[in-house]
Amino acid sequence: MSLLSVRNVTKKFGGITANQDVSFSLDAGQIVGLIGPNGAGKTTMFNCIAGYFPPTAGEIYLNDVNIAGLSPEQCARAGIARTFQVARTFTSMTALENVMVGAFLHNKNVRAAREAAAELLGFVNLGKFRDKPAASMTISEQRRLAVARALAVNPKLLLMDEVMAGLNPTEVKETVEVVLKIRDRGISCLIVEHVLEGIMPIANAIVVLDYGKKIADGTPQAISNDPQVIAAYLGDE
Ligand SMILES: Nc1ncnc2c1ncn2[C@@H]1O[C@H](COP(=O)(O)OP(=O)(O)OP(=O)(O)O)[C@@H](O)[C@H]1O
């Protein structure tokens, strides 16, 4: 059985159809990339999966539970965590405190939350920032901090929205290594990304959206050779 199964999801905002009859699935232990041109509906799909918007139609199964229409907190408790396109770090708080915010979802004990947060900071290679304000970190470091905070809710599935955008090649490599470590920890990853050199080498599958519709779904190699994908997206890279 798939971990995540998106079934015929449509999301409309008034007259705009941001997602139209989109279906795809992701198995446990997989990294799946969600790509497509600006405005294709990628973030909207994330928002539907993570409970920020109810889909207008369709179902979203996490294992055998239909989570479509649940609140963000209910989705988080069901096992879905996410990062945002613009990293929402609390800049005046320390790195450790930022991650503790996530840990408190399951752990009301401050000491246990602090220990879990410290472990996760080390996991994303930010241990040295533990007691430093998030404002002192680079964009790349703040994105990994947001990843650590999302991991602190103990997800089965992590949704990452453009964590590699605007990073230099070294930073992209560091982020890719963290994504692989997350997968190796048993957490599946669904990643919206325009940085194809980051996502293509590590994804089990790529789902391509264009004008709200799914136009392709397959291995990175199959997607790279798909004429419709090249015309809609890869052609103008
Ligand atoms: N809250 C909203 N209200 C109205 N329209 C919205 C809302 N969110 C998204 N849209 C519209 O839905 C469409 C899809 O947008 P979305 O942000 O999901 O695309 P995207 O693929 O994530 O784009 P990008 O790569 O630029 O982030 C766009 O036409 C957008 O204007």
Side-chain angles (χ1 to χ4, degrees):
M1 190 184 26
S2 301
L3 172 66
L4 176 75
S5 175
V6 173
R7 301 183 193 168
N8 308 103
V9 165
T10 293
K11 177 65 191 175
K12 293 185 182 178
F13 298 104
I16 296 170
T17 303
N19 292 138
Q20 188 174 349
D21 200 24
V22 176
S23 299
F24 65 91
S25 60
L26 177 155
D27 290 341
Q30 281 195 329
I31 296 171
V32 172
L34 187 58
I35 70 170
N38 291 330
K42 305 177 297 291
T43 299
T44 300
M45 177 55 66
F46 262 27
N47 284 328
C48 288
I49 296 171
Y52 289 81
F53 299 144
T56 308
E59 296 165 342
I60 301 170
Y61 277 84
L62 186 72
N63 290 319
D64 52 358
V65 179
N66 183 7
I67 55 158
L70 296 186
S71 69
E73 183 173 348
Q74 287 170 322
C75 288
R77 290 194 185 279
I80 296 175
R82 73 171 296 181
T83 70
F84 291 86
Q85 206 165 344
V86 178
R88 296 183 181 180
T89 37
F90 303 112
T91 47
S92 61
M93 285 163 56
T94 66
L96 190 76
E97 287 163 347
N98 265 277
V99 183
M100 284 174 73
V101 171
F104 279 132
L105 182 75
H106 289 296
N107 235 323
K108 298 296 176 226
N109 179 306
V110 176
R111 196 163 140 202
R114 189 182 291 123
E115 279 170 16
E119 189 272 326
L120 285 169
L121 272 183
F123 180 78
V124 298
N125 305 327
L126 293 175
K128 67 178 177 186
F129 289 100
R130 186 188 153 115
D131 300 316
K132 302 225 166 72
S136 68
M137 304 166 84
T138 64
I139 293 294
S140 177
E141 288 157 352
Q142 289 197 28
R143 295 248 179 83
R144 275 185 283 135
L145 181 62
V147 168
R149 193 173 57 204
L151 288 174
V153 310
N154 277 333
K156 299 184 183 88
L157 173 66
L158 178 61
L159 310 178
M160 280 177 272
D161 200 352
E162 298 206 34
V163 281
M164 303 179 202
L167 305 190
N168 68 38
T170 310
E171 293 168 335
V172 168
K173 193 161 165 276
E174 276 170 1
T175 305
V176 162
E177 280 163 12
V178 168
V179 173
L180 291 172
K181 274 170 51 180
I182 293 168
R183 193 265 322 268
D184 292 345
R185 210 175 158 113
I187 299 163
S188 307
C189 301
L190 180 63
I191 304 178
V192 164
E193 198 50 77
H194 284 291
V195 180
L196 298 183
E197 58 274 30
I199 184 70
M200 288 302 217
I202 60 170
N204 297 92
I206 300 280
V207 175
V208 190
L209 297 182
D210 189 29
Y211 292 109
K213 293 186 188 157
K214 185 176 89 168
I215 59 165
D217 183 351
T219 62
Q221 199 190 355
I223 291 301
S224 315
N225 296 319
D226 185 311
Q228 215 184 337
V229 177
I230 293 167
Y233 186 51
L234 300 178
D236 34 83
E237 284 291 294

